[in-house]
Amino acid sequence: MKKTLVVGASLNPNRYSNIAIHRLVKSGITTEAYGLKLGTVSGVQIKSKFIHFQNINTITLYLNPKRQEAYYKDIVDLRPERVIFNPGTENPEFYAILKSEGIKVEVACTLVLLATNQY
């Protein structure tokens, strides 16, 4: 199974990134997580450095556009096949950067994609 990285992962169970980790794991998708606070969600350790990630197929973003800027290079360097921009993360500037690098941009909700078997 292809691996997903949740960027903007939160330990707070009310945050959509936290719910997404639970649902990805429940769906049998190999999941990794990046966030500012270390911890574990649904058996997935949240890491705080991008150097820990390899062979990522999909990145699902839970960072607002302003916060994404600091991670443009890190995300591009991971060479994912696609990046999902969840509601509130839409960022045309970053879309252009990703597309110029041959990375697919998907503006969608990870939770809806999972619920409708379109992930």
Side-chain angles (χ1 to χ4, degrees):
M1 173 81 34
K2 296 178 180 179
K3 195 184 309 181
T4 293
L5 173 61
V6 176
V7 174
S10 173
L11 295 171
N12 181 338
N14 297 319
R15 304 291 285 187
Y16 287 113
S17 62
N18 185 290
I19 296 166
I21 294 169
H22 284 286
R23 298 231 181 116
L24 287 161
V25 169
K26 186 177 180 182
S27 296
I29 296 166
T30 303
T31 305
E32 296 205 36
Y34 171 86
L36 297 178
K37 293 184 181 176
L38 302 178
T40 303
V41 175
S42 197
V44 176
Q45 182 183 7
I46 298 174
K47 298 173 182 165
S48 63
K49 294 190 188 323
F50 275 86
I51 60 170
H52 297 294
F53 306 114
Q54 296 178 21
N55 303 316
I56 300 296
N57 174 267
T58 299
I59 293 176
T60 183
L61 286 178
Y62 289 94
L63 295 175
N64 72 51
K66 193 69 178 157
R67 296 215 31 235
Q68 291 169 24
E69 292 176 16
Y71 302 103
Y72 287 179
K73 182 178 179 342
D74 292 320
I75 289 171
V76 168
D77 287 350
L78 287 175
R79 307 298 311 156
E81 184 177 312
R82 69 176 173 164
V83 175
I84 299 171
F85 288 80
N86 288 280
T89 68
E90 298 89 349
N91 184 346
E93 177 182 80
F94 197 17
Y95 303 164
I97 293 167
L98 293 166
K99 288 176 182 178
S100 75
E101 294 289 334
I103 298 168
K104 181 181 172 191
V105 169
E106 194 165 344
V107 181
C109 175
T110 295
L111 299 176
V112 171
L113 293 173
L114 288 167
T116 58
N117 294 316
Q118 297 180 65
Y119 192 81

